[in-house]
Every structure is written in structure tokens, then in C-alpha cells.
Amino acid sequence: MANEVNRGSRKVRKGTVTSKMGAKSVVVKVEYRELHPVYGKVIIRSKKYHAHDEADTAKVGDKVVIMETRPLSATKRWRVVTPEAK
């Protein structure tokens, strides 16, 4: 057990493919809900992630699961794990 290295768990997000940037690259929009700090209303916020799609199968509008990975390019730090089950 002394030789084992615990790297921790990688972050996982679910989102929608918003654009296809070229070979094996997609932009994934991830939406999340949070409470407004003053008014208490639920607000939908979003963030876009550049992800690597090794199989090159994701299309615009597809729901996908992305996972954090090592830097693959100047902007890509995520990879597409699998299309989300419907």
C-alpha cells in the first residue's frame, strides 16, 4: 500500500454541446442553479468548457458528460467521457 498514489477524484460535469470547433474539439455549455445572495431567487448560470472528443462523435445539441484531465492544448482541459444516457 505504500506504493499507491492517491490522485483524488476528477471533476465531472454534464452539459450540452454548443459548437464543434474542428477535429476532435467541442465546446460544452454547463448550466447550474444557485440562489441570489440578496433576493433568494434561483438563478440559472452557465459556463462553457472546451473539451476533447477523441471519438469525434459529438454533434451540436448532444448531451454529454465531460471529465477534467491534463492540459491537452492552450484551452482544452476537459475530455468527453460519454454521451449522457437519455
Side-chain angles (χ1 to χ4, degrees):
M1 297 248 192
N3 294 337
E4 290 183 20
V5 177
N6 185 6
R7 298 191 317 180
S9 59
R10 295 180 175 157
K11 296 174 188 168
V12 177
R13 305 278 188 261
K14 293 180 184 178
T16 306
V17 176
T18 57
S19 76
K20 191 152 175 56
M21 302 184 309
K24 300 184 179 182
S25 297
V26 293
V27 176
V28 179
K29 181 178 179 182
V30 176
E31 292 185 341
Y32 57 96
R33 295 167 187 237
E34 66 182 14
L35 283 177
H36 188 279
V38 175
Y39 301 113
K41 181 178 179 177
V42 176
I43 302 171
I44 298 175
R45 302 259 172 124
S46 65
K47 184 169 180 180
K48 291 182 179 179
Y49 296 94
H50 294 250
H52 180 74
D53 182 16
E54 183 62 37
D56 205 20
T57 57
K59 299 178 186 70
V60 174
D62 288 353
K63 303 267 187 199
V64 294
V65 176
I66 58 174
M67 179 182 285
E68 192 175 37
T69 186
R70 65 182 175 83
L72 299 170
S73 73
T75 57
K76 290 198 291 188
R77 304 291 189 268
W78 297 79
R79 62 184 165 91
V80 176
V81 177
T82 179
E84 189 177 36
K86 294 181 181 178

